[in-house]
Amino acid sequence: MEKKKILITGKGSYVGTNFIKWLKQWPDQYDVSEISVRGNEWKRENFGNYDTIIHVAGIAHVSADPKLEERYYKINRDLTIEVAQFAKEQGTKQFVFMSSIIVYGDGDNVKRVIGKDTLPNPSNFYGNSKLLAEEGLKHLEDQNFKISVIRPPMIYGKNSKGNYPKLSKIAKSLPVFPEYENQRSMLHVDNLSEFIKKLVDNNESGLFFPQNAEYVKTSDLVKEISTVHNKKIFMVKTFNPLIKVLIKRINIINKVFGNLVYDQNISVYKENYRVRDLSESVRVTEK
């Protein structure tokens, strides 16, 4: 069987690096390369040599500074469309774009379940730049150029960035943590890697919402992490009234304690990609 040739645009990215590592389990089936798309050097590469382009290059949701707004649109929207257009012209068959659950806005105090009919409603220019990139890609798709858009929830794993390592640090150091009722969709990076592999194998097109099989309550996640490290952490409800007020006002509180979940039905794929459950994924991440 001929190897699938894959090019990841966004050299050194967390998702790309882990995907390359994941595919090493099948060295005879995949040939994976990565390339930086900064500047114009990438345009010398012949994208037509690859079956699939996985576009993970972009600016993550790290700042709400209005001075950065133009840069978000330039990289997350314009560059995405430019790379896809280039890939199509060169004869690539499939383009996979890493979008985000943030196209639906931030978390909330009340349980909020996103279904297949939920309309995107970005609350910041990060989410909007991703959504506009998706809309730009739609116009490029045809029977010879398939586009898969992935809207993952929070991605975590060993050496991940974002909120997970902050929670891990808390779980290992603080004696108490708020016992606050919330639910989040999350996605371990191995589950994501297996999901992308299946999209490539099946030459898929469409919109996809992969997530772990379990929703996560933040306090349960912190308990799970502390257990791995044999630390005792006490859950208290003392801070709950304050958290309820601050969720709408402080971004980090919202990210940690807000509700933001996908309906599990829209995350089911025809083949199983959930290679790790929550407990195992925490163990693998923390060891």
Side-chain angles (χ1 to χ4, degrees):
M1 192 175 75
E2 201 175 326
K3 283 185 179 184
K4 281 263 190 184
K5 294 200 76 182
I6 302 165
L7 180 66
I8 298 168
T9 53
K11 196 167 185 178
S13 70
Y14 184 71
V15 169
T17 301
N18 279 277
F19 184 61
I20 291 168
K21 204 184 296 178
W22 188 252
L23 289 190
K24 283 180 179 173
Q25 298 173 80
W26 304 274
D28 300 330
Q29 294 180 41
Y30 305 96
D31 188 354
V32 197
S33 306
E34 57 179 350
I35 190 173
S36 170
V37 284
R38 290 179 181 172
N40 290 308
E41 193 68 25
W42 60 272
K43 293 175 184 173
R44 297 186 183 191
E45 181 77 31
N46 183 1
F47 281 29
N49 287 336
Y50 300 94
D51 301 297
T52 301
I53 306 297
I54 300 173
H55 185 69
V56 295
I59 307 180
H61 186 198
V62 292
S63 174
D65 186 347
K67 291 175 189 167
L68 294 175
E69 184 169 359
E70 188 183 340
R71 192 158 174 255
Y72 271 82
Y73 286 113
K74 192 175 177 184
I75 293 172
N76 289 352
R77 177 192 61 191
D78 302 345
L79 181 62
T80 299
I81 296 165
E82 186 183 4
V83 171
Q85 180 77 55
F86 185 78
K88 182 179 180 178
E89 288 167 1
Q90 300 235 320
T92 307
K93 297 290 188 290
Q94 184 191 34
F95 188 86
V96 178
F97 173 56
M98 197 64 54
S99 186
S100 171
I101 195 173
I102 297 299
V103 300
Y104 295 103
D106 293 319
D108 208 331
N109 249 329
V110 293
K111 187 179 175 184
R112 182 175 169 226
V113 180
I114 298 162
K116 65 181 173 66
D117 298 324
T118 304
L119 294 175
N121 184 27
S123 57
N124 52 53
F125 47 76
Y126 169 71
N128 200 40
S129 66
K130 287 286 191 182
L131 184 61
L132 291 176
E134 289 183 22
E135 289 171 359
L137 291 175
K138 283 178 196 169
H139 304 296
L140 297 175
E141 184 164 28
D142 59 33
Q143 60 184 10
N144 297 315
F145 187 62
K146 296 191 171 180
I147 293 175
S148 290
V149 172
I150 304 174
R151 290 179 180 166
M154 185 178 104
I155 299 163
Y156 69 102
K158 196 158 189 66
N159 301 319
S160 61
K161 293 176 183 175
N163 288 323
Y164 182 93
K166 291 172 187 166
L167 287 173
S168 177
K169 198 174 178 182
I170 286 169
K172 290 180 281 188
S173 57
L174 290 187
V176 295
F177 189 81
E179 173 85 45
Y180 192 80
E181 290 299 324
N182 73 319
Q183 284 188 327
R184 305 288 294 201
S185 287
M186 288 175 64
L187 182 62
H188 187 261
V189 71
D190 289 349
N191 291 343
L192 173 59
S193 294
E194 180 64 11
F195 184 75
I196 297 171
K197 173 183 169 291
K198 292 191 181 299
L199 293 188
V200 173
D201 289 345
N202 298 321
N203 196 28
E204 288 282 11
S205 65
L207 183 58
F208 300 94
F209 313 88
Q211 65 175 325
N212 288 350
E214 316 95 324
Y215 294 143
V216 178
K217 178 178 163 184
T218 306
S219 58
D220 287 348
L221 177 61
V222 167
K223 263 189 275 191
E224 195 85 47
I225 295 168
S226 63
T227 300
V228 171
H229 294 283
N230 296 313
K231 299 279 184 185
K232 210 158 190 119
I233 189 163
F234 295 95
M235 297 293 151
V236 296
K237 296 186 176 180
T238 317
F239 308 105
N240 288 8
L242 185 60
I243 290 169
K244 202 168 185 178
V245 172
L246 295 180
I247 277 181
K248 286 288 190 185
R249 300 181 189 177
I250 299 176
N251 193 36
I252 187 66
I253 301 292
N254 186 308
K255 283 184 175 181
V256 173
F257 295 107
N259 291 280
L260 190 62
V261 298
Y262 281 133
D263 183 333
Q264 285 287 357
N265 291 324
I266 68 171
S267 300
V268 173
Y269 186 62
K270 58 192 174 190
E271 298 172 40
N272 181 47
Y273 61 90
R274 290 151 169 171
V275 293
R276 301 200 190 280
D277 63 20
L278 182 65
S279 293
E280 187 191 0
S281 73
V282 170
R283 281 199 306 274
V284 169
T285 301
E286 295 295 323
K287 74 175 183 184

